[in-house]
Amino acid sequence: ENINPTMTTATASSSLAPRSAQTSLKRARILFDAGNGESSSTSIDGANTNGQSSNTVAPLTAATHAFVPPLFDSSIHKQSVSRRIKSFYPSEVKNLAFQGEEDEALDAASGSKESATVRAVKELRKEALERLRSGEDVGADSSLGAPSADGANGKLVLHREADLLKTSSGSGASSAVAGDGALVLAGSGKAAAAAGESAGKGRPVRSGGILVERKDNATTIPTPTWHAPWKLSTVLSSHLGWVRSVAFDPSNTLFATGGGDRVIKIFDLAKACVAANDALKITLTGHISPVRGLAFSERHPYLFSAAEDKMVKCWDLETNQVIRHYHGHLSGVFALKLHPTLDLLVTGGRDAVARVWDMRTKHQIHCLTGHDNTVGAILTKGTDPQIVTGSYDSTIKLWDLAAGKCMTTLTHH
């Protein structure tokens, strides 16, 4: 037989539409059927087709009524807003009264429409302001939680004198005027005594605001001691390039400077302070690149210097000559430190390593590797970690001197 494909397609499409509609209606019965559970066959428009009476609501009608929003109840909405304020903004409960004052001024100036939530918040603020003016505790509203224990704890609530005239004469809270136009509302017990003390001290009150004084105010904030501004004492102009390093002698009589002019200058501290012409004692030459690090030894008359020429030198200050060289760095040396208790020298440079030297034998004890860039700062201590290095790779490493290994790496820079 010859079958027309066009007719077949049309017949199939026409038979699928009712089936799809029936499937949707079955789903609607399951989700929205409000009847007694008896099934009845319905047409697409929700009418009963078997002629039998049933209490079952048409699925489409039930689905329509299911999405009708409930009527708005302002009191329920107000309670919901108060619970949200208590849950998410507990610190704002005591500020509602002050904000209520601002609402009164704004309402008088503007008459724009507001949402239900804004109206609910303003009503809560107004109620808190009325309770404050009547002498009640601001936190005693049942809609905002349990009554506040500020009065029992001896806390004081101060507000402007403008509200004094509005305060009812029959309020149960004891009051006292605390100087500079502030009304002190004291709670029971310790609060009354605290009110008297506060009134006697005459503490200033922020105008237009509400101040709550905590009971645990024994903590004091340290304040720096004032001193006269620092004044420039002396300017020493001796180097011909940038001054890249400075070191003081442990006896506090000398200090050395090194700079981009490749020389080390040693000054007498007492004479330099008075700008004497003979403040410069000696100039040491020997480096061929800028001097980047200097350190005086506390146990020997030695001065150590490091420069960008990859050299680390030990100078004898009695003969003013170089007595030791420490060879090993592959590039410029940018940092130098002496161990406070051991005869050790620690240097770091552009080769991204820190080297630990024996000051007497010139031998390298450790080569501390781990940084990815120039080691620009070194700190030594007498206790672990005895060596701390800072690098241009934004890390700080703490080293175990005995093992020559990194203990910790700090990466917060």
Side-chain angles (χ1 to χ4, degrees):
E1 296 180 355
N2 295 329
I3 301 176
N4 190 346
T6 305
M7 295 177 60
T8 306
T9 304
T11 304
S13 62
S14 62
S15 63
L16 286 176
R19 293 179 181 177
S20 177
Q22 291 176 3
T23 304
S24 300
L25 289 175
K26 290 180 180 179
R27 293 175 180 172
R29 289 193 195 101
I30 298 173
L31 295 176
F32 305 107
D33 199 350
N36 55 5
E38 298 179 356
S39 61
S40 62
S41 61
T42 54
S43 61
I44 298 176
D45 58 354
N48 196 336
T49 58
N50 56 8
Q52 299 177 359
S53 62
S54 173
N55 295 330
T56 304
V57 180
L60 293 180
T61 305
T64 302
H65 289 293
F67 289 105
V68 175
L71 297 176
F72 179 78
D73 191 337
S74 59
S75 61
I76 295 177
H77 185 65
K78 179 180 175 182
Q79 294 177 4
S80 175
V81 171
S82 66
R83 285 195 299 268
R84 289 184 62 85
I85 293 176
K86 176 189 173 185
S87 300
F88 297 100
Y89 311 100
S91 60
E92 292 297 325
V93 173
K94 291 187 175 297
N95 294 333
L96 290 175
F98 176 63
Q99 295 167 355
E101 283 186 327
E102 297 178 350
D103 292 341
E104 289 181 350
L106 293 176
D107 292 341
S110 63
S112 59
K113 295 183 178 180
E114 299 171 339
S115 64
T117 302
V118 174
R119 290 196 302 269
V121 172
K122 286 191 173 182
E123 290 178 5
L124 294 173
R125 292 175 177 175
K126 184 177 180 180
E127 293 175 1
L129 180 60
E130 291 176 355
R131 288 195 305 275
L132 178 64
R133 288 172 175 172
S134 63
E136 298 179 9
D137 193 356
V138 180
D141 186 12
S142 59
S143 63
L144 290 176
S148 174
D150 291 346
N153 293 336
K155 297 182 181 179
L156 305 178
V157 180
L158 310 180
H159 65 87
R160 297 182 304 173
E161 190 179 11
D163 295 331
L164 178 60
L165 300 177
K166 302 178 183 179
T167 305
S168 59
S169 59
S171 61
S174 59
S175 61
V177 177
D180 199 12
L183 176 67
V184 182
L185 298 178
S188 60
K190 300 179 181 178
E197 296 177 1
S198 178
K201 295 179 181 178
R203 298 176 181 173
V205 180
R206 177 172 59 89
S207 60
I210 296 175
L211 174 64
V212 177
E213 182 179 11
R214 296 184 180 274
K215 181 181 178 181
D216 52 348
N217 58 355
T219 58
T220 58
I221 301 176
T223 56
T225 304
W226 183 90
H227 62 78
W230 295 102
K231 293 184 179 179
L232 180 62
S233 174
T234 308
V235 177
L236 302 177
S237 300
S238 182
H239 281 281
L240 301 178
W242 294 354
V243 180
R244 307 301 295 264
S245 57
V246 178
F248 271 86
D249 177 57
S251 62
N252 209 29
T253 58
L254 305 174
F255 69 94
T257 59
D261 53 2
R262 303 168 294 178
V263 298
I264 302 170
K265 295 179 179 290
I266 300 178
F267 295 88
D268 187 296
L269 179 59
K271 294 182 179 179
C273 291
V274 296
N277 294 330
D278 56 347
L280 178 61
K281 298 191 65 174
I282 193 171
T283 299
L284 305 177
T285 59
H287 286 287
I288 59 176
S289 289
V291 179
R292 300 296 296 264
L294 292 172
F296 282 93
S297 174
E298 296 182 357
R299 294 178 297 277
H300 312 284
Y302 296 155
L303 171 66
F304 295 86
S305 63
E308 295 182 11
D309 54 8
K310 302 184 286 186
M311 291 192 232
V312 180
K313 298 178 180 289
C314 176
W315 303 81
D316 189 342
L317 297 180
E318 295 179 350
T319 60
N320 298 327
Q321 294 180 354
V322 178
I323 58 175
R324 296 187 185 97
H325 289 87
Y326 302 89
H327 298 283
H329 278 284
L330 305 179
S331 188
V333 185
F334 281 23
L336 179 147
K337 279 290 183 180
L338 295 176
H339 196 280
T341 58
L342 304 175
D343 287 340
L344 297 178
L345 172 66
V346 185
T347 58
R350 196 182 289 133
D351 53 1
V353 299
R355 300 179 186 271
V356 183
W357 310 88
D358 188 330
M359 185 188 303
R360 298 161 297 181
T361 63
K362 304 182 293 183
H363 292 162
Q364 178 179 297
I365 299 175
H366 292 303
C367 180
L368 308 179
T369 60
H371 285 293
D372 298 330
N373 209 328
T374 302
V375 178
I378 297 176
L379 173 67
T380 57
K381 303 194 310 173
T383 58
D384 287 332
Q386 300 187 47
I387 299 177
V388 181
T389 58
S391 172
Y392 291 5
D393 61 4
S394 305
T395 64
I396 301 169
K397 289 185 180 290
L398 285 61
W399 302 89
D400 184 352
L401 179 59
K405 295 181 180 179
C406 178
M407 300 170 56
T408 308
T409 300
L410 307 180
T411 59
H412 294 287
H413 280 292

